[in-house]
Amino acid sequence: QAQLVESGGGLVQPGGSLRLSCAASGSIFSINGMNWYRQAPGKERELVATVTSRGTTTYADSVKGRFTIFRDNAKNTMYLYMNSLKPEDSAVYYCNAGIDTVGGHLAVWGQGTLVTVSS
């Protein structure tokens, strides 16, 4: 089994910054691609950023130049650095990863962390 736990959400003013963390734990052999998604009220969940096991990153157009995804493989942890935040960035942010465990390959989701951008 494996788990992902997000942290770092909260209330921030427009133009501010936050850092989200996603820590993996459990019987992990390896972690493949890791992703951040977000879901705002009344909207579908959308992919925000991805990072491969080798560190290759991709971003949604709406966050390019403002968000940075990073993973520390030694700590089995992924981060999302969010700068120049806008009210439309408000959402529950979820991390997701493909994890190879004792029981096989799993697609694992975290519980989500709420980000609110408001003055």
Side-chain angles (χ1 to χ4, degrees):
Q1 294 294 331
Q3 300 82 37
L4 295 174
V5 177
E6 301 103 332
S7 61
L11 173 64
V12 63
Q13 292 186 342
S17 300
L18 279 177
R19 186 191 77 170
L20 305 183
S21 300
C22 171
S25 63
S27 301
I28 297 172
F29 286 151
S30 63
I31 302 176
N32 303 305
M34 302 185 78
N35 313 292
W36 285 101
Y37 286 80
R38 66 186 181 187
Q39 187 167 22
K43 295 187 177 181
E44 294 186 353
R45 189 171 297 189
E46 64 170 340
L47 179 62
V48 175
T50 68
V51 58
T52 69
S53 58
R54 295 185 177 185
T56 301
T57 59
T58 58
Y59 298 92
D61 287 343
S62 58
V63 306
K64 279 182 182 177
R66 300 188 298 120
F67 289 11
T68 301
I69 189 171
F70 173 75
R71 64 189 284 172
D72 184 336
N73 291 329
K75 296 181 178 180
N76 284 343
T77 301
M78 171 178 66
Y79 305 93
L80 186 67
Y81 296 88
M82 305 186 295
N83 297 313
S84 302
L85 283 162
K86 305 175 182 180
E88 51 264 42
D89 294 317
S90 298
V92 178
Y93 283 71
Y94 299 90
C95 64
N96 160 259
I99 301 178
D100 294 321
T101 72
V102 173
H105 183 78
L106 300 174
V108 184
W109 288 88
Q111 82 287 353
T113 186
L114 178 63
V115 172
T116 304
V117 184
S118 175
S119 55

